[in-house]
Amino acid sequence: LQLVGSGGGLVQPGGSLRLSCDASGFTLDNYAIGWFRQAPGKGREGVSCIATDGTIYYENFVKGRFTISRDKAKATVYLQMNDVKPDDTAVYYCTAQWYGGSYCPLNYEFWGQGTQVTVSS
């Protein structure tokens, strides 16, 4: 099972970026997918997740700005980031966990390698 995150880069405040998480070795039917981030000098924090049945959750600090979605046929999960702020600067990780239902797990077993997002003018 492998997760490959991509799409990070340098973006100006107020701009947009779309991260992708390509999954291989498993299907999205039985795995919850989450996005986490870790800013310099800070701990890792959850951003958003999509449960097995498609239920979506966001942390308050990204609600209304970020959108998580998935394409089961492509085994890819996206994180559309709009109106980004300097505080969004971090390494973003996609994660996967075998977990049925409409909730997201607290812990994830599988992690992608991370993609750097830098928000700066």
Side-chain angles (χ1 to χ4, degrees):
L1 188 152
Q2 186 177 17
L3 297 169
V4 178
S6 63
L10 175 64
V11 59
Q12 293 185 344
S16 297
L17 209 59
R18 189 177 79 161
L19 306 184
S20 298
C21 177
D22 294 313
S24 60
F26 69 104
T27 69
L28 301 182
D29 290 330
N30 298 309
Y31 283 80
I33 304 295
W35 284 98
F36 285 73
R37 70 185 187 184
Q38 187 164 18
K42 295 186 178 181
R44 190 175 295 173
E45 62 183 358
V47 175
S48 179
C49 71
I50 183 165
T52 305
D53 71 349
T55 303
I56 289 172
Y57 298 89
Y58 297 102
E59 292 296 330
N60 286 336
F61 53 79
V62 302
K63 278 183 180 178
R65 300 189 299 122
F66 291 9
T67 302
I68 190 172
S69 62
R70 67 183 179 185
D71 185 330
K72 286 187 176 183
K74 294 183 179 180
T76 300
V77 176
Y78 304 97
L79 185 69
Q80 177 67 41
M81 306 168 62
N82 296 331
D83 190 24
V84 295
K85 306 175 186 299
D87 285 348
D88 294 323
T89 296
V91 177
Y92 284 73
Y93 300 89
C94 61
T95 64
Q97 177 63 41
W98 177 283
Y99 204 80
S102 59
Y103 295 96
C104 289
L106 293 176
N107 298 302
Y108 290 81
E109 180 176 0
F110 303 101
W111 291 74
Q113 84 285 7
T115 184
Q116 176 70 48
V117 172
T118 302
V119 182
S120 175
S121 55

